[in-house]
Amino acid sequence: GFGLEPMREAISAVVASPGCGVTLHAAEWPGAATEGGGCETLANVEVALSLGVDRVGHALQLRGRPELQARLRAAGVHVECNPFGNTRLLGGALCAHPLREFLA
């Protein structure tokens, strides 16, 4: 995946535009480990949260991260899921998609 940090200023300008809802695809793909031991794809969720976006697309890597899920919920950020598309692109069984976890 690509980091959103270099695009922060441009994204911020769009978020600030009246009547413009913003969705960022963040945490969709497994990401490479970063220097601090984190995952770039999760860093993208942090950028999305800090910018005040409306939705995060897919966010499959939020699986098993209830604290981050709770922060998104508290901020009113919707997580867009496409179980059929995700399992087709990334493999795995449809029943293994984390949608149930996200709705809990």
Side-chain angles (χ1 to χ4, degrees), residues 46-104:
E46 295 294 342
V47 171
L49 273 167
S50 71
L51 291 171
V53 302
D54 300 291
R55 296 186 325 175
V56 171
H58 303 287
L60 294 175
Q61 303 309 311
L62 292 175
R63 177 192 322 243
R65 294 178 169 87
E67 309 83 26
L68 194 48
Q69 291 174 31
R71 288 178 52 214
L72 287 164
R73 229 179 259 117
V77 177
H78 298 265
V79 175
E80 159 196 308
C81 288
N82 182 344
F84 294 103
N86 294 145
T87 54
R88 179 146 188 195
L89 281 173
L90 302 174
L94 183 61
C95 62
H97 191 279
L99 181 60
R100 285 189 183 103
E101 177 184 333
F102 295 165
L103 294 173

Side-chain angles (χ1 to χ4, degrees), residues 1-80:
F2 296 96
L4 295 174
E5 190 61 46
M7 296 177 271
R8 176 182 283 280
E9 189 175 328
I11 297 166
S12 181
V14 176
V15 170
S17 300
C20 186
V22 176
T23 300
L24 292 179
H25 280 233
E28 182 174 3
W29 301 97
T34 62
E35 188 176 316
C39 191
E40 182 178 87
T41 193
L42 294 175
N44 286 342
V45 175
E46 295 294 342
V47 171
L49 273 167
S50 71
L51 291 171
V53 302
D54 300 291
R55 296 186 325 175
V56 171
H58 303 287
L60 294 175
Q61 303 309 311
L62 292 175
R63 177 192 322 243
R65 294 178 169 87
E67 309 83 26
L68 194 48
Q69 291 174 31
R71 288 178 52 214
L72 287 164
R73 229 179 259 117
V77 177
H78 298 265
V79 175
E80 159 196 308

